[in-house]
Short mmCIF file of all heavy atoms in Angstrom, two decimals:
data_model
loop_
_atom_site.label_atom_id
_atom_site.label_comp_id
_atom_site.label_asym_id
_atom_site.label_seq_id
_atom_site.Cartn_x
_atom_site.Cartn_y
_atom_site.Cartn_z
N MET Z 652 8.30 -19.56 14.41
CA MET Z 652 7.73 -18.42 13.84
C MET Z 652 8.58 -18.06 12.58
O MET Z 652 8.00 -17.64 11.51
CB MET Z 652 7.76 -17.23 14.81
CG MET Z 652 7.21 -15.96 14.27
SD MET Z 652 7.68 -14.40 15.18
CE MET Z 652 9.31 -14.21 14.59
N LEU Z 653 9.91 -18.12 12.66
CA LEU Z 653 10.71 -17.75 11.44
C LEU Z 653 10.44 -18.67 10.33
O LEU Z 653 10.41 -18.19 9.17
CB LEU Z 653 12.22 -17.86 11.87
CG LEU Z 653 12.75 -16.91 12.99
CD1 LEU Z 653 14.24 -17.14 13.19
CD2 LEU Z 653 12.45 -15.49 12.61
N VAL Z 654 10.20 -19.96 10.58
CA VAL Z 654 9.90 -20.95 9.50
C VAL Z 654 8.56 -20.60 8.91
O VAL Z 654 8.34 -20.50 7.65
CB VAL Z 654 9.98 -22.33 9.94
CG1 VAL Z 654 9.52 -23.26 8.89
CG2 VAL Z 654 11.37 -22.67 10.42
N ASP Z 655 7.53 -20.42 9.72
CA ASP Z 655 6.12 -20.12 9.32
C ASP Z 655 6.02 -18.87 8.54
O ASP Z 655 5.11 -18.72 7.74
CB ASP Z 655 5.18 -20.15 10.48
CG ASP Z 655 5.00 -21.47 11.13
OD1 ASP Z 655 5.39 -22.49 10.43
OD2 ASP Z 655 4.51 -21.62 12.24
N MET Z 656 6.95 -17.92 8.82
CA MET Z 656 6.87 -16.62 8.22
C MET Z 656 7.01 -16.71 6.64
O MET Z 656 6.49 -15.90 5.92
CB MET Z 656 7.92 -15.70 8.74
CG MET Z 656 8.07 -14.29 8.18
SD MET Z 656 9.31 -13.36 9.04
CE MET Z 656 10.81 -14.31 8.82
N PHE Z 657 7.69 -17.78 6.19
CA PHE Z 657 7.98 -17.87 4.71
C PHE Z 657 6.94 -18.76 4.02
O PHE Z 657 7.02 -18.92 2.82
CB PHE Z 657 9.36 -18.45 4.54
CG PHE Z 657 10.44 -17.57 4.98
CD1 PHE Z 657 11.04 -17.76 6.16
CD2 PHE Z 657 10.94 -16.63 4.16
CE1 PHE Z 657 12.07 -16.90 6.61
CE2 PHE Z 657 11.93 -15.71 4.49
CZ PHE Z 657 12.56 -15.88 5.79
N LYS Z 658 5.95 -19.27 4.76
CA LYS Z 658 4.86 -20.09 4.14
C LYS Z 658 3.74 -19.19 3.62
O LYS Z 658 3.51 -18.11 4.12
CB LYS Z 658 4.29 -21.00 5.20
CG LYS Z 658 5.31 -22.08 5.73
CD LYS Z 658 4.64 -22.93 6.75
CE LYS Z 658 5.63 -23.97 7.27
NZ LYS Z 658 5.03 -24.83 8.33
N SER Z 659 3.10 -19.61 2.46
CA SER Z 659 1.96 -18.91 1.90
C SER Z 659 2.25 -17.40 1.76
O SER Z 659 1.64 -16.59 2.39
CB SER Z 659 0.74 -19.11 2.74
OG SER Z 659 0.41 -20.48 2.83
N PRO Z 660 3.20 -17.09 0.91
CA PRO Z 660 3.65 -15.67 0.79
C PRO Z 660 2.56 -14.75 0.23
O PRO Z 660 1.72 -15.21 -0.54
CB PRO Z 660 4.88 -15.66 -0.13
CG PRO Z 660 4.70 -16.94 -0.93
CD PRO Z 660 4.09 -17.89 0.02
N THR Z 661 2.46 -13.51 0.74
CA THR Z 661 1.48 -12.60 0.24
C THR Z 661 1.86 -12.15 -1.20
O THR Z 661 2.98 -12.16 -1.65
CB THR Z 661 1.48 -11.34 1.12
OG1 THR Z 661 1.23 -11.77 2.50
CG2 THR Z 661 0.37 -10.38 0.76
N LYS Z 662 0.80 -11.78 -2.05
CA LYS Z 662 1.07 -11.32 -3.37
C LYS Z 662 2.00 -10.16 -3.39
O LYS Z 662 1.97 -9.27 -2.57
CB LYS Z 662 -0.27 -10.95 -4.06
CG LYS Z 662 -1.20 -12.10 -4.27
CD LYS Z 662 -2.48 -11.63 -4.84
CE LYS Z 662 -3.44 -12.88 -5.14
NZ LYS Z 662 -4.66 -12.39 -5.73
N TRP Z 663 2.93 -10.12 -4.42
CA TRP Z 663 3.97 -9.19 -4.44
C TRP Z 663 3.48 -7.73 -4.56
O TRP Z 663 4.07 -6.85 -3.92
CB TRP Z 663 4.86 -9.42 -5.72
CG TRP Z 663 5.91 -8.35 -5.93
CD1 TRP Z 663 5.97 -7.52 -6.99
CD2 TRP Z 663 6.91 -7.98 -4.97
NE1 TRP Z 663 7.01 -6.62 -6.79
CE2 TRP Z 663 7.67 -6.84 -5.64
CE3 TRP Z 663 7.38 -8.43 -3.75
CZ2 TRP Z 663 8.70 -6.26 -4.99
CZ3 TRP Z 663 8.45 -7.76 -3.15
CH2 TRP Z 663 9.14 -6.73 -3.78
N ARG Z 664 2.35 -7.48 -5.29
CA ARG Z 664 1.93 -6.12 -5.39
C ARG Z 664 1.45 -5.53 -4.05
O ARG Z 664 1.57 -4.35 -3.80
CB ARG Z 664 0.80 -6.00 -6.44
CG ARG Z 664 -0.47 -6.72 -6.11
CD ARG Z 664 -1.50 -6.63 -7.25
NE ARG Z 664 -2.72 -7.38 -6.92
CZ ARG Z 664 -3.70 -6.95 -6.10
NH1 ARG Z 664 -3.61 -5.74 -5.60
NH2 ARG Z 664 -4.72 -7.70 -5.87
N ILE Z 665 1.05 -6.41 -3.21
CA ILE Z 665 0.65 -6.01 -1.83
C ILE Z 665 1.89 -5.94 -0.94
O ILE Z 665 2.09 -4.98 -0.19
CB ILE Z 665 -0.42 -6.93 -1.22
CG1 ILE Z 665 -1.69 -6.94 -2.02
CG2 ILE Z 665 -0.71 -6.58 0.25
CD1 ILE Z 665 -2.65 -8.05 -1.63
N MET Z 666 2.73 -6.92 -1.03
CA MET Z 666 3.90 -7.02 -0.19
C MET Z 666 4.85 -5.80 -0.50
O MET Z 666 5.49 -5.25 0.45
CB MET Z 666 4.64 -8.32 -0.48
CG MET Z 666 5.98 -8.50 0.32
SD MET Z 666 5.68 -8.51 2.15
CE MET Z 666 4.74 -10.01 2.33
N LYS Z 667 4.92 -5.44 -1.78
CA LYS Z 667 5.83 -4.34 -2.13
C LYS Z 667 5.48 -3.04 -1.36
O LYS Z 667 6.34 -2.32 -0.81
CB LYS Z 667 5.75 -4.01 -3.60
CG LYS Z 667 6.53 -2.95 -4.15
CD LYS Z 667 6.38 -2.76 -5.68
CE LYS Z 667 4.96 -2.42 -6.01
NZ LYS Z 667 4.84 -2.14 -7.49
N ASN Z 668 4.17 -2.76 -1.28
CA ASN Z 668 3.64 -1.55 -0.57
C ASN Z 668 4.00 -1.65 0.90
O ASN Z 668 4.39 -0.74 1.60
CB ASN Z 668 2.20 -1.29 -0.82
CG ASN Z 668 1.89 -0.95 -2.23
OD1 ASN Z 668 2.72 -0.37 -2.92
ND2 ASN Z 668 0.74 -1.36 -2.74
N LEU Z 669 3.81 -2.87 1.48
CA LEU Z 669 4.10 -3.13 2.87
C LEU Z 669 5.56 -2.88 3.21
O LEU Z 669 5.94 -2.32 4.24
CB LEU Z 669 3.71 -4.53 3.27
CG LEU Z 669 2.16 -4.84 3.24
CD1 LEU Z 669 1.95 -6.33 3.57
CD2 LEU Z 669 1.45 -4.02 4.32
N ILE Z 670 6.46 -3.37 2.30
CA ILE Z 670 7.91 -3.24 2.50
C ILE Z 670 8.33 -1.76 2.49
O ILE Z 670 9.06 -1.33 3.36
CB ILE Z 670 8.72 -4.04 1.45
CG1 ILE Z 670 8.52 -5.62 1.64
CG2 ILE Z 670 10.22 -3.66 1.50
CD1 ILE Z 670 9.11 -6.41 0.58
N PHE Z 671 7.87 -1.04 1.55
CA PHE Z 671 8.18 0.40 1.42
C PHE Z 671 7.67 1.16 2.67
O PHE Z 671 8.34 2.11 3.15
CB PHE Z 671 7.71 1.01 0.17
CG PHE Z 671 8.48 0.64 -1.08
CD1 PHE Z 671 7.83 0.15 -2.16
CD2 PHE Z 671 9.81 0.83 -1.05
CE1 PHE Z 671 8.60 -0.22 -3.33
CE2 PHE Z 671 10.62 0.44 -2.19
CZ PHE Z 671 9.99 -0.06 -3.31
N LYS Z 672 6.55 0.77 3.12
CA LYS Z 672 5.95 1.37 4.32
C LYS Z 672 6.82 1.13 5.59
O LYS Z 672 7.07 2.06 6.37
CB LYS Z 672 4.53 0.84 4.62
CG LYS Z 672 3.89 1.37 5.86
CD LYS Z 672 2.50 0.80 6.03
CE LYS Z 672 1.84 1.29 7.32
NZ LYS Z 672 2.56 0.74 8.52
N GLU Z 673 7.32 -0.07 5.71
CA GLU Z 673 8.16 -0.43 6.84
C GLU Z 673 9.56 0.22 6.72
O GLU Z 673 10.15 0.69 7.73
CB GLU Z 673 8.37 -1.96 6.96
CG GLU Z 673 7.05 -2.73 7.18
CD GLU Z 673 6.41 -2.35 8.52
OE1 GLU Z 673 7.05 -1.73 9.37
OE2 GLU Z 673 5.23 -2.69 8.70
N ILE Z 674 10.11 0.38 5.53
CA ILE Z 674 11.36 1.08 5.32
C ILE Z 674 11.30 2.53 5.73
O ILE Z 674 12.11 3.08 6.43
CB ILE Z 674 11.83 0.93 3.84
CG1 ILE Z 674 12.27 -0.49 3.58
CG2 ILE Z 674 13.03 1.90 3.67
CD1 ILE Z 674 12.62 -0.73 2.11
N ASP Z 675 10.15 3.12 5.36
CA ASP Z 675 9.92 4.52 5.71
C ASP Z 675 9.78 4.68 7.19
O ASP Z 675 10.37 5.64 7.76
CB ASP Z 675 8.57 5.00 4.97
CG ASP Z 675 8.32 6.50 5.34
OD1 ASP Z 675 9.09 7.33 4.96
OD2 ASP Z 675 7.27 6.69 5.92
N GLU Z 676 9.04 3.81 7.88
CA GLU Z 676 8.82 3.90 9.24
C GLU Z 676 10.04 3.58 10.12
O GLU Z 676 10.41 4.24 11.04
CB GLU Z 676 7.59 3.05 9.64
CG GLU Z 676 7.22 3.14 11.14
CD GLU Z 676 6.81 4.52 11.57
OE1 GLU Z 676 6.12 5.22 10.76
OE2 GLU Z 676 7.20 4.94 12.65
N LEU Z 677 10.64 2.40 9.78
CA LEU Z 677 11.68 1.83 10.60
C LEU Z 677 13.07 2.47 10.32
O LEU Z 677 13.82 2.75 11.27
CB LEU Z 677 11.78 0.36 10.44
CG LEU Z 677 10.52 -0.48 10.87
CD1 LEU Z 677 10.73 -1.97 10.54
CD2 LEU Z 677 10.24 -0.26 12.30
N ILE Z 678 13.37 2.71 9.08
CA ILE Z 678 14.75 3.22 8.64
C ILE Z 678 14.74 4.64 8.49
O ILE Z 678 15.47 5.39 9.22
CB ILE Z 678 15.20 2.44 7.41
CG1 ILE Z 678 15.13 0.96 7.61
CG2 ILE Z 678 16.65 2.89 7.07
CD1 ILE Z 678 15.92 0.42 8.70
N ILE Z 679 13.92 5.18 7.56
CA ILE Z 679 13.89 6.58 7.32
C ILE Z 679 13.50 7.38 8.52
O ILE Z 679 14.00 8.44 8.86
CB ILE Z 679 13.05 6.92 6.05
CG1 ILE Z 679 13.45 6.09 4.88
CG2 ILE Z 679 13.09 8.44 5.79
CD1 ILE Z 679 14.82 6.37 4.39
N GLY Z 680 12.47 6.84 9.23
CA GLY Z 680 12.01 7.52 10.42
C GLY Z 680 12.98 7.65 11.61
O GLY Z 680 12.81 8.32 12.54
N SER Z 681 14.00 6.76 11.47
CA SER Z 681 15.01 6.67 12.51
C SER Z 681 16.22 7.59 12.27
O SER Z 681 17.17 7.71 13.05
CB SER Z 681 15.43 5.25 12.77
OG SER Z 681 14.43 4.45 13.13
N LEU Z 682 16.29 8.13 11.09
CA LEU Z 682 17.48 8.91 10.65
C LEU Z 682 17.80 10.05 11.60
O LEU Z 682 18.90 10.32 11.98
CB LEU Z 682 17.25 9.48 9.22
CG LEU Z 682 17.72 8.55 8.09
CD1 LEU Z 682 17.36 9.21 6.72
CD2 LEU Z 682 19.24 8.31 8.21
N GLY Z 683 16.72 10.81 12.01
CA GLY Z 683 16.97 11.97 12.87
C GLY Z 683 17.62 11.65 14.19
O GLY Z 683 18.66 12.22 14.55
N ILE Z 684 17.08 10.67 14.87
CA ILE Z 684 17.64 10.27 16.20
C ILE Z 684 19.01 9.70 16.10
O ILE Z 684 19.86 9.92 16.92
CB ILE Z 684 16.67 9.34 16.98
CG1 ILE Z 684 17.18 9.06 18.37
CG2 ILE Z 684 16.48 8.06 16.24
CD1 ILE Z 684 17.15 10.30 19.31
N VAL Z 685 19.23 8.93 14.99
CA VAL Z 685 20.54 8.29 14.77
C VAL Z 685 21.57 9.39 14.47
O VAL Z 685 22.70 9.25 15.04
CB VAL Z 685 20.45 7.26 13.61
CG1 VAL Z 685 21.83 6.86 13.11
CG2 VAL Z 685 19.69 6.04 14.01
N CYS Z 686 21.31 10.36 13.61
CA CYS Z 686 22.21 11.38 13.33
C CYS Z 686 22.54 12.17 14.61
O CYS Z 686 23.73 12.56 14.90
CB CYS Z 686 21.67 12.30 12.26
SG CYS Z 686 21.61 11.53 10.60
N PHE Z 687 21.53 12.56 15.36
CA PHE Z 687 21.70 13.31 16.58
C PHE Z 687 22.62 12.57 17.56
O PHE Z 687 23.64 13.13 18.07
CB PHE Z 687 20.38 13.60 17.23
CG PHE Z 687 20.44 14.32 18.56
CD1 PHE Z 687 20.59 15.69 18.58
CD2 PHE Z 687 20.38 13.65 19.77
CE1 PHE Z 687 20.65 16.33 19.78
CE2 PHE Z 687 20.46 14.28 20.95
CZ PHE Z 687 20.62 15.66 20.97
N LEU Z 688 22.35 11.28 17.85
CA LEU Z 688 23.13 10.54 18.82
C LEU Z 688 24.53 10.31 18.26
O LEU Z 688 25.50 10.40 19.07
CB LEU Z 688 22.43 9.18 19.08
CG LEU Z 688 21.13 9.22 19.85
CD1 LEU Z 688 20.54 7.77 19.84
CD2 LEU Z 688 21.35 9.67 21.21
N SER Z 689 24.68 9.99 17.01
CA SER Z 689 25.95 9.69 16.42
C SER Z 689 26.89 10.88 16.55
O SER Z 689 28.11 10.78 16.81
CB SER Z 689 25.83 9.24 15.00
OG SER Z 689 25.02 8.09 14.92
N PHE Z 690 26.45 12.08 16.20
CA PHE Z 690 27.23 13.28 16.24
C PHE Z 690 27.78 13.56 17.62
O PHE Z 690 29.05 13.74 17.81
CB PHE Z 690 26.40 14.54 15.77
CG PHE Z 690 27.20 15.75 15.80
CD1 PHE Z 690 27.88 16.15 14.64
CD2 PHE Z 690 27.23 16.60 16.89
CE1 PHE Z 690 28.57 17.31 14.61
CE2 PHE Z 690 27.93 17.80 16.87
CZ PHE Z 690 28.68 18.17 15.67
N PHE Z 691 26.97 13.44 18.61
CA PHE Z 691 27.44 13.75 19.99
C PHE Z 691 28.21 12.59 20.54
O PHE Z 691 29.12 12.78 21.43
CB PHE Z 691 26.26 14.15 20.90
CG PHE Z 691 25.71 15.47 20.59
CD1 PHE Z 691 24.62 15.68 19.80
CD2 PHE Z 691 26.38 16.59 21.03
CE1 PHE Z 691 24.16 16.97 19.50
CE2 PHE Z 691 25.99 17.90 20.76
CZ PHE Z 691 24.86 18.09 19.94
N ILE Z 692 27.91 11.29 20.17
CA ILE Z 692 28.75 10.19 20.62
C ILE Z 692 30.12 10.42 20.09
O ILE Z 692 31.15 10.24 20.81
CB ILE Z 692 28.20 8.84 20.13
CG1 ILE Z 692 26.92 8.56 20.98
CG2 ILE Z 692 29.22 7.75 20.29
CD1 ILE Z 692 26.24 7.32 20.45
N GLY Z 693 30.29 10.72 18.78
CA GLY Z 693 31.56 10.92 18.19
C GLY Z 693 32.33 12.12 18.87
O GLY Z 693 33.57 11.99 19.18
N ALA Z 694 31.63 13.16 19.17
CA ALA Z 694 32.25 14.26 19.87
C ALA Z 694 32.70 13.97 21.23
O ALA Z 694 33.83 14.29 21.63
CB ALA Z 694 31.16 15.48 19.92
N VAL Z 695 31.93 13.23 22.04
CA VAL Z 695 32.28 12.81 23.40
C VAL Z 695 33.43 11.88 23.40
O VAL Z 695 34.38 12.06 24.21
CB VAL Z 695 31.11 12.22 24.07
CG1 VAL Z 695 31.53 11.56 25.44
CG2 VAL Z 695 30.02 13.27 24.34
N VAL Z 696 33.44 10.85 22.46
CA VAL Z 696 34.56 9.91 22.34
C VAL Z 696 35.92 10.65 22.05
O VAL Z 696 36.88 10.45 22.75
CB VAL Z 696 34.30 8.87 21.30
CG1 VAL Z 696 35.63 8.10 20.94
CG2 VAL Z 696 33.23 7.93 21.68
N THR Z 697 35.82 11.67 21.20
CA THR Z 697 37.03 12.40 20.81
C THR Z 697 37.54 13.25 22.00
O THR Z 697 38.73 13.29 22.28
CB THR Z 697 36.74 13.30 19.64
OG1 THR Z 697 36.33 12.49 18.50
CG2 THR Z 697 37.96 14.13 19.14
#
């Protein structure tokens, strides 16, 4: 699957929008829960 993923790449103008959508959903969308957990993990460890 990892090898086939790089075959026949999608056009960049389409891929660019898909990448930004995934960054927003996977990374930006996870900021809240990551900040919440990190704060209290640091507090508990201390």
Side-chain angles (χ1 to χ4, degrees):
M652 181 199 78
L653 296 180
V654 174
D655 291 343
M656 179 175 58
F657 294 96
K658 297 178 180 178
S659 303
T661 306
K662 293 181 180 178
W663 171 244
R664 63 181 179 84
I665 298 174
M666 181 60 68
K667 177 179 64 176
N668 294 330
L669 294 173
I670 291 172
F671 284 128
K672 176 180 177 295
E673 298 299 344
I674 290 175
D675 180 63
E676 181 62 40
L677 299 177
I678 306 301
I679 305 301
S681 301
L682 271 174
I684 185 66
V685 167
C686 290
F687 176 82
L688 290 173
S689 300
F690 181 88
F691 286 100
I692 287 172
V695 169
V696 168
T697 301

